[in-house]
Amino acid sequence: MYDNLIPNLFKTEYSKIITVLCNYFSIRDIEIAEDIAAETFLLASETWGLKGIPPNPKAWLYTVAKNKTIDYIRKNNVYDKIISNKQSKSLDNYYEIEWSDEKIKDSQLKMIFILCNPINAIESQIILVLKILGGFGIEEIATTFLTTKENINKKIFRAKKRIKEAKIDLEHIDSKLITERLNSVLISIYLLFNEGYYSKTKDFEIQKSLCLEAMRLCILLIENKSTNEPETNALLSLMCFHSSRFEARQNELNEIILYENQNKNLWNKELIDKGNYYLIESAKGNQITKFHLEASIAYWHCTKLESSNKWENILTLYNKLLQIEYSPVAALNRTFALFKVKGAKEAIVEAEKLKLSDYLYFSLLGYLYSFDNKEKAIFNYKLALNIAKKENDRQVIKKYLTVLNSTKNEN
Amino acid sequence: MNEFMMLFRHTPNPDFKMSPEQMQENIKYWQDWIGSIAAQGKFVATNQLSFEGKTLKPNNIVTDGPYAEVKEIIGGYVICKAENLDEALKLAQGCPILNIGGHVEVRSFMKIN
């Protein structure tokens, strides 16, 4: 039990300590809060091993963090008085640092809005969220983005600098700022989820924890009245539906199993139910956002029965989604839905119009042609294989090519 | 890429009323056609016009309905992106207005500096 206690606590409590302390420090001093949190855990690992685990480890951490904060302010006061002749800060404030659930959630919510600041590129926003709110280590983040630890450290340094220069402290996060920035916060959470779900990394545990962190942040937004908007619910619904297939979409060898070939019994029913619940909650406004459409598409993907209107509905939803926001992936998925509704011939005509150039596009063309033009199917799959980089993707394409080559003469 | 407007014109037939199923089917045709343009990343905006409307003429003369004196009415528009008029015309192919005897007018926007 001791082995995992500190890492597990670190995962959740490290970020809580930083965010709560940031109520008492300006954002320019966020590193002091981080140092105090780190020192607190250092002391925990030193003393718990010797003296045993305290009866309430969380309360222990909070008390130590509070005392370290008071120590820091006291030392700083001495410094200010002697060296710079400044007024001392009263310690009263710091003796009353509050660790209630409510305070923690409120602080974390505000911290999301500080970190998801559009002055930073979206990738940097996500990296900061993972580091400060998710308690992710530099190594995990580097694995997520397939880059080096040095690179991530550099990005964190630059992104933090901008956040500090923006001078928006926790106390400045008011309802006006929340309304203005909610949409960009939701997009950051959505991309964080996608980073996990369509991961560059092969590390299954990291993929999962990225998705879980995105969902946790979204739940935080739903629990707060000012951010519990229909689109927030739509985003959570979408993430619930997607993650319901987590166990089904990967085999023991970490290979991706395509939707059509998944064992539907492995879909997580509890998450599908949650997805349905939040989808209904999301219908309360009169706005249809891209999250609503994507959640509805995900809803239909979670229905096991191949009812006649399933793919028609999916096609209609993609038609609408593309009108709100074009993306190559949505265009490809729309064409696949069109194939399900109208057959390969019509889908090929539409697919040829897309004129994309990635491996997914040529895979789709290969798939569509495989019904009555195996030569063209093979041609397109070979193009796809030439472009595909990830080993998982190449394996899938190779499997299709093998089948096509063995049945080529049956044409 | 330039923007073009497709205007859908047709002559309404007062004797012809669509059944709810036909209407549903019709909506699907339009959605699939617009979806096809959007899937190519060439969609900008669309609106369907309702039958309610009034026309204002000089001397503050107001007439009822957009179709009091014209046979043909505009049912809606799509703004799309295309390299040139020919490409925009290609996108107009398959427009469901053609199935009910109507036509699509494709127009470029005048550039005013």
Side-chain angles (χ1 to χ4, degrees), chain A residues 218-263:
Chain A
C218 200
I219 290 169
L220 212 57
L221 297 178
I222 282 176
E223 284 174 345
N224 189 295
K225 227 171 87 190
S226 63
T227 45
N228 186 14
E229 295 290 332
E231 53 189 309
T232 319
N233 285 275
L235 176 58
L236 187 57
S237 165
L238 158 68
M239 296 193 289
C240 288
F241 284 135
H242 276 320
S243 44
S244 73
R245 291 198 297 277
F246 231 115
E247 304 298 331
R249 66 200 272 276
Q250 218 147 6
N251 63 17
E252 308 79 50
L253 301 168
N254 262 359
E255 291 169 342
I256 293 283
I257 302 172
L258 297 179
Y259 174 75
E260 302 244 287
N261 306 328
Q262 286 170 10
N263 175 359

Side-chain angles (χ1 to χ4, degrees), chain A residues 126 130 136 144-145 188-214 239 242-243 246 249-250 256 390:
Chain A
I126 293 174
L130 290 175
F136 280 66
T144 301
F145 291 97
S188 303
I189 294 177
Y190 170 77
L191 292 174
L192 166 60
F193 183 86
N194 284 352
E195 203 57 64
Y197 202 75
Y198 307 102
S199 207
K200 298 187 195 87
T201 161
K202 273 188 172 180
D203 190 325
F204 190 57
E205 286 311 309
I206 290 188
Q207 292 174 11
K208 234 176 161 176
S209 56
L210 291 167
C211 291
L212 279 176
E213 178 62 12
M239 296 193 289
H242 276 320
S243 44
F246 231 115
R249 66 200 272 276
Q250 218 147 6
I256 293 283
K390 264 169 75 178

Side-chain angles (χ1 to χ4, degrees), chain A residues 312 315 319 322-323 326 331 334 342 350 353-354, chain B residues 28 31-32 34-36 38-41 43 46:
Chain A
E312 272 188 18
L315 174 60
N319 283 335
L322 281 157
Q323 288 173 51
Y326 168 80
R334 179 211 176 246
K342 299 192 174 172
E350 284 297 302
K353 286 181 192 167
L354 300 183
Chain B
K28 241 182 245 164
Q31 276 302 325
D32 284 349
I34 294 173
S36 166
Q40 298 170 60
F43 173 84
T46 185

Side-chain angles (χ1 to χ4, degrees), chain A residues 69-312:
Chain A
T69 307
I70 294 166
D71 277 351
Y72 169 82
I73 299 294
R74 198 176 274 145
K75 275 184 207 150
N76 217 37
N77 273 346
V78 173
Y79 179 90
D80 278 354
K81 203 171 166 186
I82 298 171
I83 311 289
S84 35
N85 211 11
K86 274 197 283 187
Q87 273 281 325
S88 296
K89 277 186 204 149
S90 159
L91 291 173
D92 295 352
N93 218 355
Y94 301 93
Y95 277 113
E96 277 156 34
I97 292 179
E98 197 192 321
W99 301 98
S100 64
D101 269 3
E102 206 180 324
K103 185 76 184 174
I104 290 171
K105 279 183 180 165
D106 177 69
S107 311
Q108 289 194 318
L109 182 93
K110 287 176 175 165
M111 189 57 98
I112 300 178
F113 281 82
I114 288 184
L115 300 182
C116 295
N117 187 330
I119 49 167
N120 278 315
I122 202 99
E123 190 186 76
S124 298
Q125 292 179 37
I126 293 174
I127 291 172
L128 274 190
V129 165
L130 290 175
K131 174 74 173 57
I132 292 169
L133 279 168
F136 280 66
I138 300 295
E139 193 160 352
E140 286 171 294
I141 301 174
T143 313
T144 301
F145 291 97
L146 289 187
T147 179
T148 59
K149 288 198 270 182
E150 290 72 35
N151 211 343
I152 294 295
N153 272 324
K154 266 187 221 155
K155 284 194 177 187
I156 289 178
F157 179 79
R158 280 191 225 116
K160 247 195 229 163
K161 190 164 172 268
R162 287 222 177 90
I163 293 284
K164 288 191 232 169
E165 285 164 357
K167 286 188 185 153
I168 299 172
D169 292 334
L170 252 59
E171 60 181 2
H172 299 136
I173 306 291
D174 55 10
S175 57
K176 184 171 165 279
L177 197 139
I178 284 178
T179 315
E180 278 170 11
R181 212 178 268 179
L182 180 61
N183 194 259
S184 76
V185 164
L186 291 180
I187 289 172
S188 303
I189 294 177
Y190 170 77
L191 292 174
L192 166 60
F193 183 86
N194 284 352
E195 203 57 64
Y197 202 75
Y198 307 102
S199 207
K200 298 187 195 87
T201 161
K202 273 188 172 180
D203 190 325
F204 190 57
E205 286 311 309
I206 290 188
Q207 292 174 11
K208 234 176 161 176
S209 56
L210 291 167
C211 291
L212 279 176
E213 178 62 12
M215 289 167 85
R216 186 184 75 87
L217 297 174
C218 200
I219 290 169
L220 212 57
L221 297 178
I222 282 176
E223 284 174 345
N224 189 295
K225 227 171 87 190
S226 63
T227 45
N228 186 14
E229 295 290 332
E231 53 189 309
T232 319
N233 285 275
L235 176 58
L236 187 57
S237 165
L238 158 68
M239 296 193 289
C240 288
F241 284 135
H242 276 320
S243 44
S244 73
R245 291 198 297 277
F246 231 115
E247 304 298 331
R249 66 200 272 276
Q250 218 147 6
N251 63 17
E252 308 79 50
L253 301 168
N254 262 359
E255 291 169 342
I256 293 283
I257 302 172
L258 297 179
Y259 174 75
E260 302 244 287
N261 306 328
Q262 286 170 10
N263 175 359
K264 293 176 178 152
N265 294 323
L266 288 178
W267 293 357
N268 184 318
K269 189 171 171 308
E270 202 185 326
L271 280 167
I272 294 176
D273 289 344
K274 286 239 162 73
N276 286 330
Y277 171 80
Y278 290 111
L279 188 61
I280 292 166
E281 288 293 300
S282 78
K284 284 185 174 156
N286 47 16
Q287 222 193 347
I288 297 180
T289 64
K290 84 172 192 154
F291 298 133
H292 284 92
L293 292 168
E294 288 198 32
S296 305
I297 291 166
Y299 160 80
W300 281 105
H301 276 106
C302 284
T303 52
K304 292 182 187 174
L305 287 173
E306 289 290 318
S307 63
S308 64
N309 60 357
K310 171 175 173 175
W311 288 101
E312 272 188 18

